[in-house]
C-alpha cells in the first residue's frame, strides 16, 4: 500500500508545531497503525532525524496509552478500536492520513503526538475509589450483587483512561470519563457510602482542570474505544444535582491518614 | 553471598501465622518516620504503595508511564485464583498450594507458595470491597471459571479484563493515598540504579523522561515491583516498555538473580504476521475452556480448516493428555504446539500455528453464550487478523509471556541486598519453573496487599538505620555513573537503532533459549550475545537530545541491559542440566518427549552473583526442601 | 487512627459551603449545574414558545377571537407581569449561562484541530450558540415590532370596532411586508434548529436517560422543532398568500 501521512511535529510544549508530510510506500495491510509508524521512525532514526514521539505501551488496546487523532477521529475510523489495534487494512491504498495529538487545554502537548493526561489522575484522586483500607474487607460473597448491577458496573469500569472522549468532544469535556468512574461505584453497594461526595468532588476537579462542559453532542460515545455509554453522564447529572442541592456539607470527624 | 531463606519453623499451615506473630512491629506513631520507595505501579507496586501508606509510612512511588494505571498488569485477561471453594468442588488452601507447587514442576519454595494460597482468599475479599466488578451469577454470588493445571474451578474473573479491573482497584487505592498526601507519585520517572550505603539499599537514581534530569531519592527501604523480562525475546506478549532494567541494575549492585532461565511461553497467542511485528497478542488461556486445539493429521495439509474432515484432524492435547486435555498446563501445551509444527503439521501462512476451534462449543451452547464469555477476545482477534473466529477456527502459536525467574528473595521478600525488597513478577519466589494460569495476579496482589506490609515493618523495626539523604557521596557517585552511561549512549552516533539490536537479540534468544534449549544452541547464543553487545556499544545511533522526551534514548538504555542480562539467562539455562517446567533441555526428556527433571542434582534455585559485565557470574544454590509435597514426575495424562 | 472532632476552621468552612450564597453559586457555575440551568430555563422557554404559538394561531379564527385573546391577556394585569418577569429571568439565565459555557468551552480547546470529523453530532447541535444569538436579536426586533410598537407605530395604534387594541390588523399588516415575513420565517427556522437539539438534549441534562425511553426523547426535540417552525411560519405564509385577509 502507498500512504501519505501528515503528522503533527512539535519539539516541546514551548515551541510551535506544524504538520509534516511523509510518503510511505510498501505498507503492509497487516501492520498495525503504530507498526507503520515504527517503520517510519526506524528510517528517520537511521537518517539521524528525530523519530515521531508517540505514547504507546501494551499494544493490545487496554493500557490506554495511545492517543492519536487520525483523520479527525480519536483512534481513527474503526469503531471500538484503539490506535494500536487499528490495522492498515482499514485504509485505502493511496490514502492521505492526518495525525494530530489530542487537543485540550487540560491535555497540554508534551512532544509531537504525546500529551499530558495527568488531569485524569487528579480527578481520580478526588474520589474515584472506595475508601477501604487493606484488611477491612468482609467475605467476598457476603453481599450478593445482582448480575445486572455487576455487569453495568463492569461496563462503566471498562474505561481505559485514554482521553478519546475529551479529544472528540467539541468542548473538550471529560464528562464521559468522570461519569464512567462514578457510575462504576454507584452501581455497587460498596460505592454507596461515598456516592454523592464522590460525584461532587470529581466533577469539581474536572472543572478545575479546565475541561469544557458537556453539551450532549455524544461524540465521546462514538469515539470511545470501549463503547462507554452517555447514559452514565445522565446518571452523573442526577447524582451531582443531589450532591449539590440535597446533601449538606458535613464537618464530621477526621479519621487520620487514609 | 549468603542465602538464608528465613523460612519460619513449624508445620507449613502455621508458618505464616507464626511469622506474623514473631516479626517485630513498628509502632503506629513511628511509621511516619520511615520512608519507603516503591518502583513500579502495577498490581504489586500499587497495592504495596497504597497499603504501606494506609499504615502510615511515607511513600514515594515511581513509574515510567504517564499514569500508574498504565502498568502492564492491566493487560492480564483471564482471571485470578483463590482457594475460596465457593463451587464446593473440593478446593482448599492446601489444594491450591499443591497445584501451584506441582504446576511449577517442584522448583518453588513450599513455604512461600503456602502463604500465597492462604492470602489468596483475602485478595478476593479486598478487591470486591474496592468495587472490582467480578463476574457474578444471577443469584448475585461470584462466578468462577476453570484454568489450566487445576481440576477445580477457582478462578475469579471480570470478562477478559481481570487484570485491568484489579489494577484499577489497586490504582484507586493508590490514588486515594496520593490525594490525601500520603504517597508522593513520580510519573514519567524511570529508575536507573539502586544506591547501596553500608550494605543496605538506601535509595534510587532516576531519569525524568520529560526533562532528562538525573535525580536521587533516599529512603529507608526500596521495593522493586518492576515486572518481568519476557521482552528479552523482543517479541512477547509484554508491553513495549516492559524491561529488565530495574532488576538488572539491582543485580549489578549485589542482588542475586534466581533462575533467569525459567520463562513461560504462553500457548495461545496470535501468530506473527510479518517482520514489522512489534509485539505478540495473547488470547486468554480461558479460551481453552471451550476451544479445542487441533492440527491436520497429514503433514503439509494446506486445505482450509472447514475442508478437513473430522477423521483427519488431530486433537493432539486431548489425545496425549486425556484427563486435562485442552486445559493442560502452559508449558506442556506450548511444547506440544511446537512439536506438531516441527513435524510440518502447523497451519496458517507461516506453518507456525495451530487451530483453536470453537465450532463444537458454538454447537453446544450457542453463539450468544460463546460471545458472552469471550466476545471481547473474539473481537480483538478479528481486528488483528481480519478473520472471524465465530466462522473459522482461531490460529494460535506460543509466545513468551511471563518470567518465573527474577531477583532472589527470602520469605520476607527481601533480596540479598538488605532493605531491597522485590515483589510480584520481578521476584522469583512462588511459581517455580512454570506458573499456572491466573496465578500472576494472585501473587502480585498477595505480595503487595498482605505480605510486604508485615515483613517490611519487621525489617525497619529490627535494623537501626542511620539518617541518609541524597547529598551522601554514594548518591553522587551513582548519579555520575548514570550520567556517564547516558552520555555514552547519546554520543556514539553509529548506524543502528536500539530496536534493530533488540530485534536481533530477540531472534538469538528465541532460536536458542526459547521453547527448546540444547547445549549447542545455548553455547551458540553465549558466543553471539557478547559480540552483539560489543557492536551495540560502538554502532548505536540515538538521535535527538537527552534534555527532553527522547523515546529512542529510553529504549537504548533498556536494550543495553537486555544485552547483558541475556547472557546470564543463557548461562543459567546451560547450567541447569535437566528439563523442568518452562525450561526444556532437549537432552533431558522422557522417551515420549516429556520434560525430565533431575531432582538429585537440580532440586535447587540457582542464584547468580554478578562479577562484572562479560565475566562469569558466580552460582549459589538454595536447596529446595519438600516436606509436604512428594516430588513426582508431573503427569497430566 | 483516633477520631478527632473537626476543628473550628473546618466547621466555619463547612458552614460557608452550606450557606445558600455558597452552594447555589457553586452549583450554577459548575459544568453540570450550568447544564441544569440551560435545561430548566430552556424548558420554560419551550413552554412559552408553544403557548405563544397556540395563542397566535387564533389569527386563523378571525379578528374577534385574536383581539379578545389579547385583551384577556392584558386584563390579567399583575399576573401577566409575573409571567413576563419569569420569562425574562429564564431568557437571561439561558443567555448568560449559554454564553459563559460557550466561552469556557472555547477556552477548553485553545488549539483547534487541523482536521476533525464529526461522528455523531449534527450541525444543529454544533450551532446552538449561533442560532441562539440570532434568535435573541430576532426577539429584540419582535418585541420592538409587536409588543412595544416602535418599528411600526401606526399599526400599533390601531383599534378594532370594539375599541380594543387591534392585534389582528397589526399582525396582518406586518406580514404583508415580504421582508418582515421573511425575517420571521428565517428566525423560525433557527428557532426550530435550536429546539431540535435543545429539547432533546434537555432530557439528558436533567438526568433522564433510560433505554426504554431514549428513542422517545430523541424524537421530542426534532418534533417540537418542526412543530414550532411550521406553526409559526404558517401565519406570515398565510398572510402573504392571501389566506388571511385584513379585517
Amino acid at each position: 500500500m502507498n500512504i501519505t501521512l501528515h503528522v503533527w511535529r512539535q519539539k516541546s510544549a514551548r515551541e510551535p508545531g506544524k504538520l509534516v508530510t511523509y510518503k510511505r510506500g510498501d505498507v503492509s495491510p497487516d501492520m498495525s497503525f503504530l507498526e507503520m509508524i515504527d517503520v517510519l521512525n526506524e528510517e528517520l532514526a537511521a537518517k539521524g532525524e528525530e523519530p515521531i514521539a508517540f505514547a504507546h505501551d501494551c499494544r493490545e488496546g487496554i493500557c490506554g496509552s495511545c492517543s492519536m487523532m487520525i483523520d479527525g477521529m480519536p483512534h481513527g475510523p474503526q469503531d471500538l478500536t484503539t490506535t494500536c489495534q487499528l490495522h492498515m487494512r482499514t485504509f485505502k491504498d493511496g490514502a492521505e492520513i492526518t495525525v494530530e495529538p489530542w487537543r485540550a487545554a487540560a491535555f497540554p502537548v508534551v512532544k509531537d503526538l504525546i500529551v499530558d493526561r495527568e488531569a485524569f489522575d487528579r480527578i481520580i484522586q478526588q474520589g474515584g475509589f472506595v475508601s477501604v483500607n487493606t484488611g477491612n474487607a468482609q467475605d467476598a460473597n457476603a453481599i450478593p450483587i445482582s448480575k445486572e448491577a455487576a455487569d453495568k458496573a463492569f461496563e462503566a469500569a471498562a474505561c481505559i483512561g485514554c482521553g478519546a472522549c475529551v479529544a472528540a468532544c467539541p468542548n473538550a469535556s471529560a464528562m464521559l470519563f468522570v461519569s464512567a468512574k462514578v457510575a462504576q461505584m454507584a452501581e455497587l453497594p460498596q460505592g454507596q457510602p461515598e456516592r454523592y461526595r464522590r460525584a461532587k468532588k470529581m466533577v469539581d476537579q474536572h472543572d478545575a482542570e479546565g475541561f469544557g462542559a458537556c453539551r450532549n453532542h455524544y461524540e465521546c460515545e462514538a469515539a470511545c474505544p470501549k463503547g462507554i455509554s452517555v447514559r452514565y453522564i445522565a446518571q452523573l447529572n442526577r447524582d451531582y444535582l443531589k450532591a449539590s442541592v440535597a446533601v449538606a456539607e458535613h464537618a464530621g470527624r477526621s479519621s487520620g491518614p487514609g | 553471598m549468603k542465602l538464608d531463606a528465613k523460612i519460619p519453623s513449624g508445620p507449613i499451615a502455621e508458618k505464616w501465622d507464626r511469622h506474623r506473630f514473631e516479626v517485630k512491629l513498628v509502632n503506629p506513631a513511628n511509621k511516619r518516620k520511615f520512608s519507603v520507595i516503591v518502583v513500579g505501579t502495577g498490581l504489586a507496586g500499587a497495592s504495596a504503595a497504597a497499603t504501606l501508606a494506609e499504615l502510615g509510612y511515607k511513600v514515594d512511588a515511581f513509574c515510567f508511564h504517564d499514569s500508574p494505571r498504565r502498568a502492564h498488569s492491566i493487560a492480564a485477561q483471564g482471571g485470578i485464583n483463590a482457594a475460596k471453594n465457593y463451587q464446593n468442588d473440593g478446593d482448599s488452601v492446601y489444594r491450591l498450594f499443591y497445584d501451584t507447587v506441582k504446576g511449577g514442576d517442584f522448583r518453588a519454595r513450599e513455604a512461600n507458595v503456602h502463604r500465597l494460597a492462604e492470602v489468596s482468599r483475602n485478595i478476593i475479599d479486598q478487591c470486591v470491597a474496592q468495587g472490582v466488578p467480578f463476574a457474578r451469577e444471577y443469584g448475585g454470588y461470584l462466578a468462577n471459571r476453570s484454568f489450566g493445571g487445576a481440576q477445580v474451578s477457582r478462578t475469579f474473573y471480570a470478562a477478559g479484563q481481570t487484570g485491568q479491573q484489579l489494577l484499577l482497584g489497586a490504582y484507586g487505592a493508590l490514588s486515594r493515598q496520593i490525594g490525601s498526601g500520603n504517597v508522593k507519585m513520580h510519573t514519567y520517572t524511570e529508575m536507573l540504579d539502586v544506591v547501596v550505603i553500608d550494605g543496605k539499599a538506601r535509595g534510587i537514581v532516576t531519569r525524568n523522561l520529560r526533562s532528562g534530569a538525573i535525580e536521587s531519592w533516599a529512603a529507608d527501604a526500596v521495593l522493586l515491583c518492576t515486572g518481568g523480562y519476557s521482552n528479552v525475546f523482543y517479541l512477547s506478549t509484554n508491553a513495549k516498555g516492559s524491561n529488565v532494567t530495574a532488576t538488572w541494575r539491582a543485580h549489578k549492585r549485589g542482588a542475586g538473580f534466581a533462575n533467569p532461565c525459567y520463562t513461560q511461553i504462553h500457548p495461545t497467542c496470535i501468530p506473527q504476521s510479518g517482520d514489522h511485528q512489534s509485539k505478540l497478542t495473547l488470547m486468554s488461556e480461558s479460551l481453552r475452556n471451550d476451544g479445542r486445539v487441533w492440527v491436520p493429521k497429514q503433514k503439509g495439509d494446506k486445505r482450509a480448516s472447514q475442508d478437513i474432515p473430522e477423521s483427519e484432524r488431530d486433537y493432539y492435547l486431548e489425545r496425549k493428555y486425556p484427563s486435562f486435555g485442552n486445559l493442560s498446563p502452559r508449558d506442556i501445551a506450548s511444547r506440544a504446539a511446537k512439536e506438531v509444527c516441527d513435524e510440518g503439521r502447523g497451519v496458517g501462512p507461516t506453518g507456525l500455528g495451530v487451530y483453536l476451534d470453537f465450532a463444537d462449543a458454538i454447537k453446544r451452547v450457542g453463539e450468544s453464550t460463546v460471545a458472552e464469555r469471550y466476545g471481547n477476545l473474539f473481537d480483538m482477534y478479528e481486528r488483528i487478523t481480519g478473520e472471524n473466529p465465530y466462522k473459522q477456527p482461531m490460529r494460535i502459536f506460543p509466545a513468551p509471556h511471563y518470567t518465573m525467574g527474577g531477583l532472589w528473595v527470602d520469605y520476607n521478600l527481601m533480596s540479598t541486598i538488605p532493605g531491597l525488597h522485590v515483589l510480584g513478577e520481578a521476584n522469583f519466589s512462588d511459581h517455580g519453573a512454570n506458573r499456572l494460569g491466573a496465578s500472576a495476579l494472585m501473587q502480585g496482589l498477595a505480595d503487595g496487599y498482605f505480605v510486604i506490609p508485615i515483613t517490611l515493618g519487621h525489617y525497619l523495626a529490627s535494623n537501626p538505620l542511620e539518617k541518609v539523604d541524597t547529598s551522601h557521596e554514594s548518591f553522587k557517585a551513582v548519579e555520575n555513573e548514570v550520567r556517564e552511561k547516558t552520555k555514552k549512549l547519546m554520543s556514539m552516533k553509529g548506524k543502528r537503532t536500539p530496536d534493530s539490536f533488540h530485534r536481533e537479540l530477540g531472534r538469538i534468544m528465541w532460536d536458542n533459549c526459547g521453547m527448546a534449549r540444547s547445549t549447542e544452541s545455548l553455547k551458540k547464543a553465549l558466543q553471539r550475545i557478547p559480540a552483539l553487545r560489543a557492536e551495540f556499544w560502538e554502532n548505536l545511533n540515538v538521535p535527538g537530545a537527552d534534555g527532553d522526551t527522547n523515546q529512542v534514548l529510553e529504549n537504548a538504555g533498556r536494550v543495553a541491559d537486555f544485552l547483558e542480562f541475556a547472557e546470564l539467562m543463557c548461562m543459567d539455562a546451560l547450567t541447569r542440566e535437566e528439563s523442568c517446567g518452562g525450561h526444556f533441555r532437549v537432552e533431558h526428556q522422557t522417551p515420549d518427549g516429556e520434560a525430565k527433571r533431575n531432582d538429585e542434582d537440580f532440586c535447587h534455585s540457582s542464584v547468580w552473583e554478578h562479577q562484572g559485565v562479560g565475566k562469569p557470574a558466580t552460582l549459589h544454590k538454595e536447596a529446595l526442601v519438600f516436606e509436604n509435597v512428594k516430588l513426582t514426575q508431573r503427569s497430566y495424562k | 487512627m483516633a477520631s478527632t472532632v473537626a476543628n473550628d476552621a473546618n466547621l466555619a468552612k463547612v458552614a460557608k459551603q452550606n450557606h445558600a450564597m455558597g452552594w447555589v453559586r457553586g452549583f450554577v457555575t459548575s459544568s453540570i449545574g450550568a447544564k441544569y440551568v440551560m435545561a430548566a430555563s430552556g424548558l420554560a422557554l419551550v413552554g412559552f414558545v408553544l403557548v405563544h404559538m397556540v395563542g397566535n394561531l387564533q389569527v386563523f379564527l378571525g379578528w374577534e377571537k385574536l383581539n379578545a385573546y389579547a385583551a384577556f391577556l392584558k386584563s390579567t394585569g399583575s399576573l401577566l407581569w409575573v409571567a413576563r418577569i419569569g420569562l425574562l429571568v429564564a431568557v437571561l439565565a439561558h443567555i448568560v449561562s449559554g454564553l459563559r459555557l460557550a466561552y469556557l468551552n472555547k477556552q477548553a480547546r485553545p488549539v483547534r484541530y487541523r482536521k476533525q470529523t464529526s461522528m455523531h453530532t449534527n450541525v444543529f447541535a454544533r450551532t446552538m450558540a449561533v442560532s441562539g444569538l440570532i434568535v435573541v436579536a430576532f426577539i429584540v426586533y419582535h418585541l420592538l415590532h409587536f409588543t412595544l410598537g416602535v418599528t411600526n407605530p401606526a399599526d400599533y395604534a390601531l383599534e378594532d370596532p370594539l375599541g380594543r387594541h387591534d392585534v389582528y390588523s397589526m399582525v396582518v399588516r406586518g406580514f404583508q411586508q415580504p421582508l418582515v415575513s421573511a425575517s420571521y420565517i428565517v428566525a423560525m427556522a433557527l428557532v426550530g434548529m435550536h429546539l431540535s437539539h435543545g429539547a432533546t438534549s434537555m432530557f439528558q441534562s436533567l438526568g433522564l436517560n433510560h433505554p426504554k425511553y431514549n428513542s422517545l426523547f430523541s424524537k421530542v426535540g426534532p418534533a417540537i422543532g418542526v412543530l414550532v417552525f411550521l406553526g409559526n411560519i404558517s401565519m406570515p405564509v398565510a398572510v402573504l398568500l392571501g389566506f388571511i385577509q385584513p379585517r
Side-chain angles (χ1 to χ4, degrees):
Chain A
M1 293 171 74
N2 288 301
I3 296 285
T4 306
L5 289 171
H6 305 287
V7 183
W8 185 262
R9 303 298 311 261
Q10 182 171 356
K11 257 188 118 43
S12 72
R14 299 172 300 279
E15 289 155 82
K18 62 172 194 287
L19 286 175
V20 177
T21 301
Y22 301 95
K23 293 221 182 284
R24 311 294 306 146
D26 234 12
V27 172
S28 155
D30 288 331
M31 283 177 168
S32 73
F33 197 82
L34 296 186
E35 284 165 353
M36 183 270 298
I37 296 192
D38 283 342
V39 175
L40 167 60
N41 272 347
E42 285 287 289
E43 285 176 24
L44 291 176
K47 283 192 283 183
E49 285 176 38
E50 263 207 83
I52 300 161
F54 64 94
H56 67 100
D57 198 30
C58 79
R59 297 204 175 191
E60 47 189 277
I62 195 76
C63 74
S65 294
C66 43
S67 49
M68 289 183 190
M69 197 75 172
I70 300 171
D71 268 349
M73 289 167 277
H75 298 300
Q78 195 175 4
D79 275 355
L80 302 176
T81 303
T82 53
T83 301
C84 62
Q85 300 258 286
L86 179 68
H87 281 66
M88 296 311 293
R89 65 178 82 91
T90 318
F91 297 92
K92 287 202 190 79
D93 191 17
E96 290 211 20
I97 307 171
T98 305
V99 189
E100 294 178 80
W102 290 170
R103 297 274 186 216
F107 286 170
V109 171
V110 173
K111 183 175 186 171
D112 295 341
L113 302 172
I114 302 178
V115 298
D116 179 339
R117 285 170 286 189
E118 291 187 14
F120 271 11
D121 294 294
R122 290 189 291 270
I123 292 173
I124 296 292
Q125 285 156 21
Q126 288 302 310
F129 43 75
V130 171
S131 296
V132 52
N133 281 3
T134 306
N136 281 180
Q138 58 185 339
D139 185 84
N141 256 348
I143 308 175
I145 299 172
S146 75
K147 181 170 169 14
E148 193 199 2
D151 288 351
K152 274 164 89 179
F154 174 78
E155 282 165 28
C159 168
I160 56 174
C162 64
C165 47
V166 175
C169 178
N171 307 319
S173 173
M175 270 303 146
L176 191 65
F177 169 79
V178 177
S179 69
K181 195 68 211 175
V182 169
Q184 178 196 345
M185 301 307 181
E187 291 293 345
L188 298 171
Q190 289 83 1
Q192 298 311 312
E194 298 168 284
R195 177 170 182 172
Y196 298 103
R197 181 185 158 81
R198 173 183 305 117
K200 177 89 170 58
K201 291 186 76 174
M202 288 178 71
V203 170
D204 289 350
Q205 185 66 33
H206 166 277
D207 293 357
E209 294 288 351
F211 291 107
C214 171
R215 303 296 299 272
N216 307 333
H217 290 287
Y218 302 167
E219 289 288 294
C220 52
E221 185 182 85
C224 177
K226 298 293 150 184
I228 294 182
S229 162
V230 293
R231 75 165 186 270
Y232 297 125
I233 299 182
Q235 184 174 352
L236 175 65
N237 291 349
R238 295 197 297 275
D239 282 8
Y240 186 78
L241 178 71
K242 182 161 181 195
S244 300
V245 174
V247 178
E249 290 291 330
H250 166 63
R253 294 156 188 273
S254 85
S255 55
Chain B
M1 186 177 282
K2 206 169 121 282
L3 300 175
D4 177 1
K6 303 211 179 76
I7 299 168
S9 57
I12 187 117
E14 289 168 26
K15 283 181 195 289
W16 178 232
D17 259 351
R18 179 180 299 222
H19 192 63
R20 280 193 291 176
F21 177 68
E22 285 172 355
V23 292
K24 290 194 178 154
L25 301 176
V26 179
N27 169 314
N30 283 340
K31 288 201 176 89
R32 65 171 178 276
K33 295 180 189 158
F34 290 106
S35 56
V36 184
I37 283 172
V38 180
V39 186
T41 56
L43 284 181
S47 60
T51 306
L52 292 171
E54 286 163 10
L55 289 171
Y57 294 107
K58 230 175 96 220
V59 178
D60 279 88
F62 295 81
C63 72
F64 64 72
H65 295 97
D66 62 341
S67 162
R69 69 181 292 154
R70 311 240 188 260
H72 196 57
S73 306
I74 201 137
Q77 297 171 352
I80 176 166
N81 288 329
K84 281 286 199 182
N85 193 30
Y86 283 159
Q87 303 306 320
N88 194 30
D89 55 0
D91 201 9
S92 64
V93 167
Y94 196 85
R95 186 177 292 281
L96 175 53
F97 156 71
Y98 178 84
D99 286 349
T100 308
V101 171
K102 179 186 170 199
D105 218 354
F106 307 96
R107 289 293 176 265
R109 196 190 282 151
E110 273 192 346
N112 286 51
V113 178
H114 198 276
R115 174 177 65 190
L116 175 67
E118 285 174 57
V119 303
S120 69
R121 299 169 303 179
N122 306 81
I123 295 170
I124 301 303
D125 299 343
Q126 186 63 32
C127 294
V128 167
Q130 288 171 344
V132 171
F134 284 120
R136 286 177 185 264
E137 306 288 357
Y138 280 101
Y141 295 97
L142 290 158
N144 288 118
R145 58 166 57 139
S146 310
F147 249 67
Q151 287 175 311
V152 294
S153 201
R154 63 159 77 98
T155 305
F156 296 80
Y157 63 98
Q161 284 141 267
T162 318
Q164 179 199 26
Q165 294 310 316
L166 295 175
L167 183 62
L168 292 181
Y171 161 74
L174 173 62
S175 296
R176 174 173 163 238
Q177 297 304 322
I178 298 169
S180 51
N182 303 318
V183 173
K184 177 97 185 63
M185 185 69 225
H186 308 268
T187 53
Y188 259 112
T189 310
E190 181 165 26
M191 177 197 130
L192 290 184
D193 221 327
V194 181
V195 179
V196 180
I197 297 175
D198 298 332
K200 296 193 176 84
R202 295 309 302 271
I204 58 171
V205 170
T206 61
R207 179 170 178 274
N208 182 313
L209 301 186
R210 285 188 182 170
S211 68
I214 307 290
E215 291 165 295
S216 287
W217 311 88
D220 296 306
V222 175
L223 273 51
L224 297 187
C225 315
T226 52
Y229 48 82
S230 292
N231 272 349
V232 72
F233 292 107
Y234 183 71
L235 284 179
S236 83
T237 66
N238 281 12
K240 289 296 285 174
S242 301
N243 64 75
V244 76
T245 291
T247 46
W248 184 249
R249 304 277 170 103
H251 173 62
K252 288 170 85 173
R253 294 282 168 200
F257 210 114
N259 305 327
C261 77
Y262 291 166
T263 53
Q264 180 166 77
I265 312 296
H266 197 291
T268 50
C269 301
I270 300 176
Q272 187 175 351
S273 73
D275 287 337
H276 53 263
Q277 191 106 10
S278 61
K279 80 155 269 162
L280 297 168
T281 304
L282 179 79
M283 289 280 104
S284 168
E285 175 164 316
S286 61
L287 291 169
R288 288 199 277 145
N289 269 304
D290 285 307
R292 297 179 70 197
V293 178
W294 64 275
V295 290
K297 282 185 177 161
Q298 282 300 317
K299 254 185 226 184
D301 190 337
K302 288 286 162 206
R303 285 177 293 176
S305 58
Q306 65 271 18
D307 299 337
I308 302 177
E310 200 60 30
S311 61
E312 291 176 45
R313 299 176 176 190
D314 178 12
Y315 294 90
Y316 59 88
L317 284 177
E318 295 169 22
R319 172 172 58 79
K320 286 164 87 170
Y321 308 100
S323 65
F324 280 70
N326 293 300
L327 283 175
S328 304
R330 291 174 174 179
D331 52 340
I332 288 177
S334 291
R335 220 151 39 231
K338 180 182 189 305
E339 247 168 55
V340 296
C341 292
D342 287 350
E343 289 166 13
R345 299 197 284 147
V347 300
T350 56
L352 293 175
V354 299
Y355 288 127
L356 180 61
D357 198 336
F358 290 86
D360 284 352
I362 290 172
K363 219 178 284 165
R364 196 175 66 244
V365 297
E367 190 169 315
S368 63
T369 307
V370 170
E372 193 177 307
R373 285 182 193 159
Y374 312 110
N376 63 327
L377 296 169
F378 278 38
D379 293 347
M380 180 151 93
Y381 181 84
E382 187 170 0
R383 276 197 295 273
I384 292 172
T385 61
E387 297 171 3
N388 178 352
Y390 293 102
K391 302 274 173 263
Q392 61 189 105
M394 287 184 176
R395 288 176 295 111
I396 54 166
F397 196 66
H401 170 60
Y402 185 90
T403 53
M404 285 72 67
L407 290 182
W408 182 88
V409 290
D410 63 15
Y411 190 72
N412 294 320
L413 302 182
M414 190 160 82
S415 70
T416 54
I417 303 176
L420 183 75
H421 296 72
V422 191
L423 283 65
E425 190 181 350
N427 74 26
F428 88 117
S429 71
D430 297 351
H431 306 296
N434 174 53
R435 178 176 65 73
L436 290 183
S439 284
L441 303 182
M442 171 172 71
Q443 188 221 336
L445 290 179
D447 288 358
Y449 282 135
F450 296 107
V451 179
I452 199 70
I454 310 292
T455 59
L456 183 71
H458 178 64
Y459 168 76
L460 294 171
S462 49
N463 286 278
L465 292 165
E466 279 179 39
K467 266 249 153 298
V468 167
D469 62 33
T470 54
S471 60
H472 192 281
E473 58 186 22
S474 301
F475 278 99
K476 296 294 149 211
V478 175
E479 267 184 37
N480 279 337
E481 282 178 46
V482 170
R483 264 192 206 99
E484 284 308 310
K485 188 163 179 179
T486 309
K487 210 181 276 173
K488 177 91 207 295
L489 288 170
M490 293 295 305
S491 65
M492 279 171 276
K493 301 286 171 219
K495 295 255 176 288
R496 290 183 65 179
T497 61
D499 245 16
S500 84
F501 285 104
H502 197 174
R503 238 176 246 273
E504 189 175 340
L505 174 70
R507 192 81 231 179
I508 295 173
M509 295 304 283
W510 179 247
D511 289 346
N512 299 300
C513 195
M515 269 192 286
R517 301 151 176 186
S518 68
T519 310
E520 190 195 2
S521 74
L522 291 166
K523 284 193 165 150
K524 196 160 113 197
L526 283 168
Q527 253 176 356
R528 290 184 56 191
I529 296 164
L532 186 64
R533 190 168 62 226
E535 194 198 339
F536 177 90
W537 285 106
E538 280 165 9
N539 197 20
L540 179 73
N541 177 26
V542 178
D546 80 339
D548 166 13
T549 301
N550 187 334
Q551 293 174 311
V552 184
L553 176 60
E554 292 163 25
N555 193 19
R558 294 168 194 165
V559 175
D561 289 327
F562 275 129
L563 282 165
E564 293 175 10
F565 167 75
E567 208 175 348
L568 183 71
M569 187 170 145
C570 292
M571 182 53 81
D572 187 47
L574 183 63
T575 317
R576 186 164 285 278
E577 290 280 359
E578 64 164 349
S579 295
C580 59
H583 171 64
F584 189 76
R585 285 284 301 269
V586 293
E587 299 92 338
H588 304 286
Q589 49 183 313
T590 61
D592 52 352
E594 299 296 333
K596 198 167 136 210
R597 286 201 322 269
N598 174 354
D599 291 330
E600 198 136 313
D601 301 316
F602 289 96
C603 194
H604 61 248
S605 293
S606 305
V607 187
W608 298 88
E609 182 178 2
H610 188 69
Q611 301 293 353
V613 176
K615 292 186 190 136
T618 314
L619 175 63
H620 303 268
K621 295 173 183 172
E622 181 199 344
L624 295 169
V625 183
F626 292 91
E627 292 169 333
N628 299 277
V629 177
K630 199 165 149 282
L631 274 75
T632 55
Q633 182 66 42
R634 214 162 49 126
S635 168
Y636 291 93
K637 291 200 165 173
Chain C
M1 285 283 156
S3 291
T4 51
V5 175
N7 58 29
D8 290 351
N10 195 17
L11 283 172
K13 193 177 129 209
V14 167
K16 203 170 155 193
Q17 285 166 343
N18 278 333
H19 191 277
M21 286 305 287
W23 73 257
V24 171
R25 191 192 160 92
F27 177 66
V28 300
T29 55
S30 71
S31 59
I32 291 181
K35 282 173 77 166
Y36 275 101
V37 171
M38 295 306 286
S41 57
L43 182 63
L45 295 173
V46 170
F48 167 75
V49 166
L50 290 174
V51 170
H52 185 57
M53 179 178 80
V54 171
N56 290 349
L57 284 173
Q58 295 179 72
V59 74
F60 286 102
L61 302 177
W63 65 269
E64 291 93 343
K65 289 274 182 199
L66 185 66
N67 288 355
Y69 171 65
F72 161 72
L73 287 182
K74 278 250 165 84
S75 71
T76 56
S78 52
L79 218 58
L80 181 64
W81 277 106
V82 170
R84 281 179 169 164
I85 289 169
L87 203 55
L88 190 66
V89 169
V91 167
L92 285 178
H94 206 74
I95 293 173
V96 170
S97 191
L99 285 177
R100 183 176 155 272
L101 281 176
Y103 171 75
L104 289 177
N105 286 342
K106 205 134 201 110
Q107 299 289 101
R109 177 165 294 136
V111 182
R112 318 299 295 180
Y113 290 106
R114 296 298 178 87
K115 183 167 183 187
Q116 188 168 16
T117 310
S118 281
M119 291 167 287
H120 183 282
T121 191
N122 57 42
V123 63
F124 298 170
R126 297 193 78 119
T127 51
M128 289 298 275
V130 176
S131 60
L133 282 173
I134 298 174
V135 169
V136 168
F138 164 75
I139 291 172
V140 171
Y141 165 69
H142 178 60
L143 290 174
L144 293 175
H145 185 191
F146 286 152
T147 311
L148 302 171
V150 175
T151 55
N152 305 51
D155 298 345
Y156 189 73
L158 292 171
E159 284 190 0
D160 69 3
L162 298 174
R164 297 176 300 202
H165 178 32
D166 190 0
V167 173
Y168 180 86
S169 298
M170 175 176 76
V171 168
V172 174
R173 286 183 183 206
F175 286 158
Q176 278 175 335
Q177 307 165 54
L179 267 181
V180 172
S181 276
S183 78
Y184 273 80
I185 292 169
V186 168
M188 285 310 119
L190 289 165
V191 169
M193 280 167 60
H194 197 83
L195 289 179
S196 97
H197 174 70
T200 282
S201 178
M202 183 177 74
F203 292 101
Q204 169 84 354
S205 293
L206 293 175
L208 300 170
N209 180 316
H210 191 286
K212 288 190 170 164
Y213 305 100
N214 282 346
S215 67
L216 176 68
F217 294 159
S218 69
K219 291 181 188 100
V220 167
I224 292 184
V226 169
L227 187 71
V228 166
F229 173 68
L230 292 179
N232 280 330
I233 68 163
S234 69
M235 293 174 271
V237 169
V239 170
L240 286 178
L241 296 180
F243 288 120
I244 296 176
Q245 294 290 338
R247 177 166 55 85

